[in-house]
Amino acid sequence: MKIEARLFEVLTVFFFGASIIYGISSGLSSKNVEWVGVTGMVMTGGLTLIIGTYFRFVARRVDIRPEDYEEAEVEDGAGELGFFSPGSWWPIAMAASAALIGVAMATTNFWLVAVGAVAIIATVGGLVMEYHVGPEKH
């Protein structure tokens, strides 16, 4: 996880630096600073800072992975990575619910946003509980 943390920390520095340069250059080229771009880049830097900080905290708690040391071979990462459901339809339903919210927001149908939010909650619950209920339960 140290590599991922370092990647997002570098991105954080880049976005904050780019927002400063963008603010200065847009202020010099026109009458005033173009604040939408500066705000967007600062917020992007903040998001990468949050993700990088999370990865840094997680890196302290997990064992060293093959990706974290230089002398690792490809076969060091072999083995089971986790359980992934091969035939789950819930991700498609979640994507459809998210698309419904997007279309509802684009067309300013706020009642449909509420329907989409309920659909998102239901589909996420279905995905999480997929192997805890029904005939697949052990």
Side-chain angles (χ1 to χ4, degrees):
M1 297 302 264
K2 291 180 182 177
I3 291 174
E4 291 89 349
R6 195 171 308 128
L7 173 73
F8 279 98
E9 289 164 355
V10 167
L11 284 172
T12 299
V13 170
F14 169 76
F15 283 121
F16 284 147
S19 66
I20 291 170
I21 293 170
Y22 182 76
I24 291 171
S25 64
S26 70
L28 293 176
S29 66
S30 65
K31 293 181 180 177
N32 50 8
V33 177
E34 197 274 309
W35 288 107
V36 174
V38 173
T39 304
M41 284 193 278
V42 167
M43 293 179 86
T44 303
L47 289 173
T48 57
L49 177 65
I50 291 170
I51 296 169
T53 304
Y54 171 76
F55 281 147
R56 184 66 61 192
F57 283 132
V58 170
R60 294 181 194 164
R61 294 186 195 133
V62 297
D63 295 332
I64 288 186
R65 301 176 309 152
E67 294 90 355
D68 291 332
Y69 58 95
E70 299 278 335
E71 292 80 25
E73 296 292 329
V74 173
E75 58 268 5
D76 291 338
E80 187 173 328
L81 297 176
F83 176 74
F84 303 98
S85 179
S88 179
W89 289 89
W90 288 109
I92 296 171
M94 287 171 45
S97 301
L100 178 66
I101 289 176
V103 169
M105 290 178 77
T107 58
T108 63
N109 289 321
F110 296 111
W111 63 272
L112 198 54
V113 172
V115 170
V118 170
I120 284 276
I121 292 170
T123 55
V124 167
L127 180 69
V128 169
M129 301 303 292
E130 182 174 17
Y131 288 99
H132 298 289
V133 296
E136 294 88 11
K137 189 170 93 171
H138 295 101

